[in-house]
């Protein structure tokens, strides 16, 4: 019988794989094993990868684990605690508390977790760690047959943002957040430069696929794409129009240009995630030929506010 007293610590080397397999236990077997191997391979290159992995031991036996990963832009991804059937009561709560305490020490501004389902046990753990529901995210895809073979004519021009232009682009991104319908609860949580650092870390292209959206001589918005060549994906990370230029139906034109860009780069699809409550954006994406393929609940905790 497992004792009622647990010890929270980073797992010893021989328990790292078992701890990760427990945390990722909700995934299908093949996907879980691939993620575990990827994390362990990253840890082989950088030991800090597993600094956010904590396990719970009772009587020397592994009874629970949680994993957090600090990411660029002062954010962190959190995989909620998973415990064994014989774990003592409160094990999951103790694990998430340890993880959040560590994240606070890492100068993280925002931690988030994405969940396909949210059972009552997870709701209780989230509440105990002061995570709140942010949004329901819809994952959309424009498959290869929807990608245009030529650049469509339109009102807008798409101008690459060079490294010298990033301060100007940051101002446009920040302006486009005003009155946003997309994950409005994130407004003001991070500095705009931290937000851009997070965008830059997505995919393999850095800031090479960032564009000013212009109408004539006016910068009216922005388009931020990220390349994932190994998966055959181009990702639409963010697009926005500043308030004074909204209401012209340009969202569809921007999305269609991004589809053309995916074709130019030889990708199989264009993917994105959008707040299910963002009606204008959803209408634009549907008009551009996107379809939904998955959904996740997003919970966040902020630090230092």
């Amino acid at each position: 019988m497992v004792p009622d007293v647990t010890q929270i610590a980073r797992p010893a080397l021989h328990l790292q794989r078992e701890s990760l397999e427990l945390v990722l236990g909700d995934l299908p077997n093949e996907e879980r094993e691939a993620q575990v191997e990827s994390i362990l391979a990253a840890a082989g290159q950088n030991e800090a990868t597993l600094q956010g992995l904590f396990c719970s031991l009772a009587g020397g036996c592994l009874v629970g684990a949680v994993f957090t990963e600090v990411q660029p832009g002062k954010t962190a991804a959190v995989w909620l605690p998973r415990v064994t059937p014989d774990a003592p009561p409160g094990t999951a709560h103790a694990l998430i508390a340890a993880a959040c305490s560590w994240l606070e020490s890492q100068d993280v501004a925002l931690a988030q977790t994405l969940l396909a389902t949210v059972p009552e046990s997870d709701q209780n753990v989230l509440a105990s760690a002061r995570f709140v529901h942010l949004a329901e995210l819809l994952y959309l895809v424009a498959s290869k047959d929807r990608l245009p073979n030529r650049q469509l004519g339109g009102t807008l021009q798409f101008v690459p943002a060079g490294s010298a232009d990033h301060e100007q682009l940051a101002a446009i991104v920040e302006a486009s957040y005003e009155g946003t319908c997309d994950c409005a609860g994130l407004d003001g949580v991070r500095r705009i430069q931290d937000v851009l650092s997070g965008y830059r870390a997505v995919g393999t292209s850095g800031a090479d696929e960032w564009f000013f959206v212009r109408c004539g001589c006016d910068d009216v918005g922005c388009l931020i794409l990220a390349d994932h060549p190994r998966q055959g994906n181009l990702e639409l990370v963010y697009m926005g129009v500043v308030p004074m230029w909204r209401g012209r139906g340009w969202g569809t034109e921007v999305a269609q240009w991004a589809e053309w860009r995916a074709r130019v780069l030889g990708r199989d699809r264009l993917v994105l995630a959008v707040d299910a409550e963002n009606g204008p954006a959803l209408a634009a994406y549907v008009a551009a030929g996107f379809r939904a393929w998955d959904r996740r609940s997003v919970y966040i905790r902020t630090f230092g506010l």
Side-chain angles (χ1 to χ4, degrees):
M1 182 175 179
V2 176
D4 288 338
V5 178
T6 62
Q7 173 191 359
I8 308 294
R10 292 190 177 90
L13 183 62
H14 71 282
L15 284 176
Q16 288 177 352
R17 177 181 295 274
E18 187 179 353
S19 297
L20 287 169
E21 288 176 344
L22 180 57
V23 172
L24 301 175
D26 294 341
L27 297 177
N29 290 342
E30 187 174 337
E31 184 179 350
R32 180 177 66 250
E33 288 307 312
Q35 282 220 29
V36 169
E37 291 299 336
S38 176
I39 294 168
L40 290 176
Q45 300 295 318
N46 181 4
E47 292 182 2
T49 301
L50 294 180
Q51 286 295 298
L53 177 63
F54 295 88
C55 71
S56 180
L57 302 175
C61 299
L62 179 71
V63 294
V66 64
F67 182 47
T68 65
E69 183 180 16
V70 175
Q71 299 174 332
K74 293 191 175 183
T75 65
V78 177
W79 285 262
L80 290 188
R82 292 295 177 254
V83 300
T84 61
D86 55 355
T91 298
H93 292 76
L95 282 163
I96 195 68
C100 287
S101 178
W102 179 74
L103 287 176
E104 198 159 18
S105 74
Q106 300 303 301
D107 196 28
V108 165
L110 173 72
Q112 65 177 4
T113 186
L114 304 175
L115 302 170
T117 60
V118 193
E120 184 177 356
S121 57
D122 281 346
Q123 292 178 25
N124 292 336
V125 168
L126 288 163
S128 74
R130 290 184 284 156
F131 279 78
V132 297
H133 182 257
L134 173 69
E136 295 294 310
L137 280 188
L138 295 178
Y139 292 82
L140 308 184
V141 59
S143 53
K144 196 168 190 175
D145 62 312
R146 296 296 310 181
L147 303 181
N149 291 313
R150 60 181 178 82
Q151 184 173 357
L152 303 178
T155 304
L156 304 174
Q157 300 85 48
F158 297 83
V159 180
S163 57
D165 300 319
H166 283 186
E167 186 172 336
Q168 181 184 356
L169 185 69
I172 294 172
V173 172
E174 193 163 31
S176 75
Y177 286 164
E178 183 180 337
T180 182
C181 298
D182 206 72
C183 299
L186 293 179
D187 187 34
V189 170
R190 293 182 294 157
R191 296 183 306 114
I192 189 62
Q193 294 302 334
D194 293 328
V195 173
L196 294 182
S197 293
Y199 289 161
R200 193 176 293 111
V202 180
T204 63
S205 51
D208 291 344
E209 294 294 325
W210 293 13
F211 301 89
F212 293 103
V213 178
R214 287 182 180 159
C215 180
C217 297
D218 296 308
D219 290 326
V220 300
C222 59
L223 173 64
I224 294 178
L225 305 172
D227 200 14
H228 303 268
R230 290 185 61 184
Q231 293 78 29
N233 295 342
L234 183 66
E235 180 178 357
L236 198 166
V237 177
Y238 180 73
M239 73 173 191
V241 175
V242 298
M244 67 176 294
W245 293 100
R246 290 175 187 162
R248 292 168 169 80
W250 286 344
T252 299
E253 187 175 338
V254 175
Q256 288 174 330
W257 192 89
E259 290 172 338
W260 176 79
R261 187 64 184 166
R263 175 73 75 181
V264 169
L265 294 174
R267 301 299 168 247
D268 295 328
R269 62 195 70 84
L270 178 66
V271 299
L272 61 88
V274 61
D275 187 336
E277 296 297 318
N278 190 344
L282 280 171
Y285 295 139
V286 170
F290 283 82
R291 61 175 178 82
W293 62 274
D294 204 355
R295 185 184 185 111
R296 289 289 185 272
S297 298
V298 186
Y299 286 78
I300 65 167
R301 171 173 167 172
T302 57
F303 296 87
L305 293 179

